[in-house]
Amino acid sequence: MTNTSEDAYRHIITESVAFLYPAALRAAVLLEVAEHLADEPRDVAELAKLTGANGPYLRRLLRFLASHGTFLEDEDGRFHLTPQADLLRADAPRSMRAGVLLVTEDGWWQSAAGLTEAVRSGEPAFERRFGQPIFAYLAEHPEHGPLFNAGMAAYSAGDIGYIIDGYDFPNDGVMVDVGGGRGGLLLAALRARPGLCGILLDHEKVLAGNLLPELGADDRWTLHPGDFFSSVPAGDFYTVKNVLHDWDDDQCVQILENCRRAMNPGARVLVVEAVIPPGNDPHFGKTLDIMMLTLLPGQERTQLEFERIFERAGFRITQVIPTPGNLSLIEAVPA
Ligand SMILES: C[S@@+](CC[C@H](N)C(=O)[O-])C[C@H]1O[C@@H](n2cnc3c(N)ncnc32)[C@H](O)[C@@H]1O
């Protein structure tokens, strides 16, 4: 056997069981292991008592996670937090607890299990498995809404600093965050630009959990419950972050056209999405694209694919700014 084929063999063996790692992360989050290690390292007997878990099984779970750098076992058998493990705590800066719980939730697993049927049919696996599109499902199953919105906010939070630092946000007029979820981006923009006001557009139930009261200046923002396929409020600056990737091209054109119709003169739009680079190199957007394929009619797009959508909606792209995270900033103005 040559080295190359040994490498290939090892690669497939390892990757074919990679689904066990997110399953283990989920178990650690639900058992709140990281919370119990926040102040001091502990051995498995202590952790088992605190988490209500079976000691030997818990040791195996933590040994596996430690082999991925999430927790660390010392020579005395005590487990410590690592920077990765710390992100599983609810109160950690940039906590990913809610994000892990979201993407390892049953609907996500089942949709991933339906990948083959999605690729055969060209339809999102979620819809085939659950009988309706994911946002309709979330609207009808309010018990899942908070998990989705908190998980989405956790995935978003890590990029918000890059977006604020990477783009010259206006310091006057009205910013409309289209499909802005809980408003993390709008809140950061309003904090960074004291002259700016904002409107948060999303479904009513999503807006109910919005973060904007944290600004402490209630006269600078309003909530706009609505449907961005019907209409979008008037404004001077539009942000559309991680929204277009949920939808097919025709639907994206509809959302952007609604922005263009509502825009005040001189307004611009900033779409924030992964832009898939050419070539074979790994890129988080390529992974996210498979998630989209299983869950929604949308997709991650190349720059050319974005250009086509903007052109159809009557926009011209003025700049594309990469960020140190996974997302790029695509600025456009009416053509
Ligand atoms: C993937 S999340 C992105 C949220 C936020 N922009 C962020 O980056 O964290 C998509 C958002 O679009 C909202 N949404 C979906 N369909 C919508 C519609 N027809 N009208 C308004 N908002 C919608 C969802 O409720 C959700 O908050």
Side-chain angles (χ1 to χ4, degrees):
M1 203 183 276
T2 67
N3 273 344
T4 308
S5 64
E6 177 62 16
D7 286 350
Y9 177 72
R10 290 284 145 215
H11 173 85
I12 294 297
I13 274 204
T14 309
E15 294 294 324
S16 63
V17 291
F19 68 96
L20 292 168
Y21 181 58
L25 285 176
R26 178 176 186 82
V29 166
L30 290 176
L31 291 166
E32 302 193 333
V33 178
E35 315 286 348
H36 292 299
L37 294 177
D39 297 329
E40 52 179 338
R42 294 182 193 274
D43 64 22
V44 166
E46 270 182 289
L47 282 173
K49 210 180 268 176
L50 288 165
T51 59
N54 173 283
Y57 272 48
L58 182 61
R59 173 183 297 285
R60 289 158 65 188
L61 175 73
L62 296 182
R63 177 177 62 189
F64 172 61
L65 284 167
S67 75
H68 283 259
T70 304
F71 304 108
L72 177 133
E73 185 178 9
D74 67 21
E75 285 170 358
D76 300 323
R78 283 177 312 175
F79 283 91
H80 298 243
L81 281 185
T82 58
Q84 280 169 221
D86 189 52
L87 293 172
L88 305 182
R89 286 192 312 109
D91 292 339
R94 302 176 93 185
S95 170
M96 278 304 294
R97 181 181 187 279
V100 169
L101 287 180
L102 174 65
V103 299
T104 58
E105 197 265 336
D106 191 47
W108 263 242
W109 283 116
Q110 287 201 43
S111 300
L115 183 56
T116 313
E117 62 196 69
V119 172
R120 279 213 178 96
S121 67
E123 288 169 20
F126 186 95
E127 248 169 277
R128 291 171 74 87
R129 298 234 158 181
F130 292 90
Q132 59 189 148
I134 187 166
F135 288 116
Y137 180 89
L138 288 171
E140 275 186 28
H141 295 80
E143 69 279 13
H144 291 302
L147 171 67
F148 180 85
N149 300 326
M152 190 62 228
Y155 264 92
S156 275
D159 283 304
I160 285 177
Y162 297 138
I163 299 167
I164 300 293
D165 292 347
Y167 185 77
D168 187 15
F169 276 70
N171 198 17
D172 56 8
V174 175
M175 163 173 159
V176 183
D177 196 9
V178 179
R182 297 169 77 178
L185 176 60
L186 181 56
L187 176 65
L190 294 177
R191 278 187 173 140
R193 296 289 186 273
L196 186 64
C197 291
I199 299 177
L200 183 61
L201 163 63
D202 209 296
H203 289 309
E204 190 163 11
K205 283 186 180 136
V206 178
L207 295 180
N210 81 85
L211 306 168
L212 293 170
E214 290 179 23
L215 184 68
D218 294 355
D219 54 337
R220 290 181 55 209
W221 54 269
T222 48
L223 303 177
H224 187 99
D227 173 4
F228 49 48
F229 290 115
S230 303
S231 68
V232 167
D236 305 291
F237 177 60
Y238 289 76
T239 44
V240 191
K241 174 176 169 295
N242 285 138
V243 167
L244 297 187
H245 75 165
D246 292 344
W247 306 105
D248 67 28
D249 285 6
D250 290 347
Q251 291 166 315
C252 291
V253 170
Q254 213 182 328
I255 296 168
L256 290 173
E257 275 179 345
N258 283 343
C259 294
R260 189 171 49 74
R261 284 195 196 103
M263 279 179 160
N264 293 330
R268 46 197 161 129
V269 62
L270 188 70
V271 164
V272 184
E273 293 280 0
V275 176
I276 304 269
N280 295 308
D281 286 342
H283 187 277
F284 190 67
K286 295 178 185 177
T287 308
L288 211 53
D289 185 50
I290 298 302
M291 194 188 282
M292 292 304 127
L293 197 155
T294 65
L295 295 174
L296 285 149
Q299 62 172 105
E300 305 303 326
R301 294 180 168 85
T302 63
Q303 184 164 332
L304 186 62
E305 287 167 334
F306 277 114
E307 282 167 10
R308 288 193 188 122
I309 291 173
F310 276 107
E311 195 182 324
R312 282 181 58 198
F315 281 100
R316 168 174 68 80
I317 293 182
T318 37
Q319 43 178 340
V320 179
I321 308 168
T323 71
N326 299 310
L327 302 175
S328 293
L329 314 175
I330 310 168
E331 183 198 62
V333 295

